[in-house]
Amino acid sequence: MNSCLSPRNGRGFQACADLEMQMLRLFFEMDAVGVAAGVAVLRAASQGESVSRPRRALLFLVADGGEGPEGWERVYQEARSEGDPEVGAAACIAAVDATLGKGRGFDAWEPWCGRLADLLVSGVDMSAQARAALHLRQGLIALLRDGDAGAAERAAAAGLSLVDAGQSLPLALALGALAGLTDCLAGHVVRADVRLSDTVFLCQCSASGVFSRALVLSTLGLVKLLMGDAETASRMLDRVSHDVAAGGLPESLLMLVEGHRLYAMTALGRGHTVQDLADRIGGRVLPARNLLLEAYRHLALGAVALRNGQALRALVHAQESLDCGRRAAAQFPVLVAALLQLQALADLHRIEDAEACLARWYPEWTRLGLQRIAAIACLEQAMLQARRGELDLARRYRSKALGLLPPGESLLPLHRSQAWLDELEGVLSAANAASPESAHVVIRTLGEFVVEVKGRRIYDRDWKGLRTKSLLMALVAEGCYKIPAVRLADRLWPDSEGDQAMQNLKVALHRLRRLGCGPGETPVNWVHVKHGQVSLAKGVCWVEGDGLSTRKETCRIAP
């Protein structure tokens, strides 16, 4: 075969040229194994001869793993001088992929962005595969470096218009995965689920390619996680990890899949597997100094901490993820980590900081097409306001979150459980508590004084002090609404100095709000203090007895 391919005869030149074209197509379709095999044949045919032609020089560089940006720059300039747009496109793609593999220095993409655009405008002689592969890289740059999901979606759509499964299955799958991810970020999770679930059947074809198959399955796994189906997500991600050919995948993709599995195992409550995955990711990512993967690792670990009630740990991981993203010049991990930061601040009751975080990032999320992240942030604010007892404001934030998503889409938030959402819905549905069944706190005053929180009766042992119960009885006896705090303090602590009585009242109010709460559980603020006046939150509390006189007769305050 080598003699037939020898450049010293006409047939050999043509055979080498045909093989080079075939290798370029395999390169565009991300078939690293096929390219390596073809290059080995070309090397044997070119033994003893200098490699000067841009096409062969490019293929040899690809097989050798490149020699830094200057190598791709040289091939690109040679391709331009010889009028070979296919090789120019391949050089651009190789340069973009090399930076992505390092996971840092994404500002180095800037000169290649202009070249990608120029080739797409002027490269009418390029194959559909070359142009589709260029659009794929445009989408990756837009998403990872700029955090612009809208631009990434447009690039994916342009690439898909050039190739379908019949023309290039690997490219169609990869572009479909990118489109599915941008759909998720824009809030079209159901659409992404339907499209990617159909695409999975194409992954069974041998021509699908290991790389493209892994992209589709890992993206669908992420979609299932966003829909709250951790079990299916785990199965999808396991298919990537157990793929017999997975050893040929780039390290960056493998670690992203492991990060998704970390999310899934946390949602499924498999603590030992979570720890094993966290150790495995850290052992492979940190020594490589891949800042993009480090950012993702901190994001995943922060989400795990948030679900486990470790808000401070989640905040530290969020800040580390932000720092890694910024040092990598990658905006996308920064934008996602900002959401985790907001969530951790909310759980730490740092209300002003959480509100400042929303004000800082909300315009960016909406401008860049990250509607789902913006909606989740509004939902976090709804919970924050609901726990403060500001139910009207909480409802407005919830309506704002719904308005950001397509009709019918789920509001299941990122980094949270279904129980968290159920709590929010329960508090907001109690905002118009016309009956004890819809109220968060039920107070019965006819006969025995009975208090129920979330449907559970509060017994004497739960009050944390006699004065706490006396405070609630005083509030009810005074009419439940806008009772001067000074009057309550004087009534309950008549023998204490003014400042000390007010301090005692603050302690009793704190204990009252925490009635029925478990350790570490955030209470709903059903007792308000505004402008020096204390009130039971309307709607959140349901008090038996129609008239103030009835309450005064039935609520006897201890001296």
Side-chain angles (χ1 to χ4, degrees):
M1 181 177 178
N2 290 348
S3 61
C4 294
L5 289 176
S6 173
R8 293 185 177 84
N9 62 70
R11 285 188 305 160
F13 275 117
Q14 185 57 47
C16 284
D18 291 344
L19 184 57
E20 289 169 359
M21 286 293 295
Q22 184 181 355
M23 292 306 100
L24 269 180
R25 171 167 178 152
L26 292 177
F27 171 77
F28 292 135
E29 294 183 340
M30 297 161 290
D31 185 350
V33 176
V35 171
V39 168
V41 175
L42 285 174
R43 283 190 192 278
S46 305
Q47 192 171 10
E49 298 196 17
S50 61
V51 179
S52 57
R53 296 178 58 213
R55 186 163 297 196
R56 196 169 301 180
L58 170 98
L59 292 170
F60 284 10
L61 269 178
V62 168
D64 294 339
E67 58 180 42
E70 62 280 356
W72 309 121
E73 177 73 28
R74 184 177 65 252
V75 173
Y76 173 78
Q77 296 298 340
E78 290 175 357
R80 284 193 60 186
S81 64
E82 293 202 11
D84 193 337
E86 294 264 328
V87 174
C92 286
I93 290 167
V96 170
D97 290 354
T99 300
L100 180 59
K102 292 177 182 176
R104 59 184 184 275
F106 292 111
D107 47 358
W109 276 343
E110 186 57 36
W112 296 103
C113 287
R115 292 166 181 173
L116 287 171
D118 290 344
L119 284 165
L120 286 167
V121 170
S122 60
V124 291
D125 296 330
M126 284 191 300
S127 65
Q129 286 80 9
R131 283 180 287 156
L134 288 172
H135 281 300
L136 178 60
R137 271 52 179 202
Q138 272 191 327
L140 289 174
I141 292 172
L143 185 61
L144 293 176
R145 188 193 67 173
D146 306 329
D148 193 338
E153 188 277 330
R154 292 189 292 273
L160 286 169
S161 70
L162 293 168
V163 292
D164 57 27
Q167 294 170 300
S168 175
L169 181 55
L171 278 170
L173 291 176
L175 288 161
L178 178 60
L181 179 57
T182 56
D183 267 345
C184 280
L185 295 170
H188 296 279
V189 179
V190 174
R191 185 169 73 188
D193 180 44
V194 171
R195 290 179 174 178
L196 288 170
S197 296
D198 288 345
T199 305
V200 167
F201 293 104
L202 296 175
C203 291
Q204 299 172 7
C205 301
S206 58
S208 61
V210 176
F211 187 85
S212 298
R213 184 163 62 248
L215 282 178
V216 169
L217 293 174
S218 61
T219 304
L220 182 57
L222 182 60
V223 170
K224 294 296 185 183
L225 283 173
L226 290 175
M227 298 181 76
D229 189 355
E231 195 70 51
T232 303
S234 178
R235 288 199 302 271
M236 288 291 168
L237 298 169
D238 285 346
R239 286 179 62 180
V240 181
S241 299
H242 298 154
D243 194 321
V244 293
L249 290 174
E251 180 78 359
S252 55
L253 182 55
L254 282 172
M255 289 299 99
L256 284 175
V257 171
E258 293 292 81
H260 294 168
R261 289 185 69 214
L262 189 69
Y263 274 93
M265 294 301 104
T266 303
L268 293 170
R270 298 175 186 171
H272 292 299
T273 306
V274 168
Q275 188 59 53
D276 290 343
L277 283 169
D279 293 343
R280 189 186 314 164
I281 294 170
R284 296 173 72 171
V285 168
L286 294 176
R289 301 303 299 159
N290 186 313
L291 291 174
L292 179 64
L293 291 179
E294 282 191 49
Y296 189 76
R297 171 180 172 271
H298 280 296
L299 182 67
L301 292 175
V304 170
L306 195 74
R307 275 178 170 267
N308 291 334
Q310 299 171 312
L312 182 57
R313 182 174 290 275
L315 179 61
V316 173
H317 278 301
Q319 291 167 340
E320 290 295 315
S321 184
L322 281 161
D323 180 61
C324 289
R326 287 173 176 143
R327 286 192 288 134
Q331 185 68 358
F332 182 65
V334 171
L335 291 162
V336 181
L339 174 64
L340 178 62
Q341 183 181 44
L342 185 154
Q343 293 170 315
L345 289 169
D347 282 5
L348 289 168
H349 310 294
R350 291 171 54 177
I351 297 170
E352 292 183 359
D353 290 337
E355 291 175 341
C357 187
L358 179 67
R360 162 68 179 86
W361 292 105
Y362 182 82
E364 290 293 293
W365 290 325
T366 52
R367 179 179 67 85
L368 296 169
L370 304 172
Q371 308 300 323
R372 188 167 186 85
I373 292 180
I376 292 168
C378 288
L379 209 59
E380 291 288 333
Q381 285 293 314
M383 177 64 93
L384 195 63
Q385 299 303 331
R387 285 172 172 169
R388 296 175 68 189
E390 300 287 350
L391 296 179
D392 287 340
L393 188 55
R395 284 195 297 272
R396 287 200 292 271
Y397 271 117
R398 184 180 180 277
S399 297
K400 189 174 184 179
L402 284 169
L404 288 165
L405 298 178
E409 281 289 349
S410 167
L411 267 176
L412 183 65
L414 190 64
H415 309 148
R416 298 291 194 186
S417 64
Q418 181 63 48
W420 184 92
L421 187 61
D422 291 342
E423 179 189 346
L424 176 61
E425 295 295 339
V427 173
L428 294 184
S429 66
N432 299 312
S435 68
E437 289 76 18
S438 60
H440 180 76
V441 178
V442 174
I443 304 170
R444 303 185 188 277
T445 62
L446 299 179
E448 184 184 3
F449 186 78
V450 175
V451 177
E452 297 174 0
V453 179
K454 294 187 289 186
R456 187 176 72 83
R457 180 168 176 171
I458 304 300
Y459 293 97
D460 288 343
R461 64 177 179 274
D462 302 317
W463 283 98
K464 309 295 184 184
L466 178 62
R467 298 294 185 181
T468 309
K469 185 175 182 179
S470 298
L471 171 59
L472 182 57
M473 295 174 75
L475 283 168
V476 175
E478 293 282 354
C480 304
Y481 190 60
K482 289 188 175 180
I483 302 102
V486 173
R487 189 159 78 208
L488 289 170
D490 289 343
R491 184 171 184 177
L492 293 169
W493 293 276
D495 298 329
S496 299
E497 296 292 334
D499 290 344
Q500 183 59 51
M502 290 300 294
Q503 180 60 35
N504 293 340
L505 178 63
K506 288 181 181 179
V507 173
L509 285 168
H510 173 76
R511 291 174 174 172
L512 192 57
R513 293 188 187 100
R514 290 205 60 82
L515 273 181
C517 288
E521 184 179 352
T522 302
V524 172
N525 186 9
W526 55 279
V527 187
H528 292 186
V529 180
K530 285 187 177 181
H531 308 300
Q533 297 175 318
V534 184
S535 305
L536 297 183
K538 291 182 177 180
V540 180
C541 301
W542 184 89
V543 182
E544 184 182 50
D546 295 328
L548 182 59
S549 59
T550 304
R551 297 191 187 107
K552 284 185 176 179
E553 290 171 4
T554 55
C555 297
R556 305 297 181 187
I557 308 304

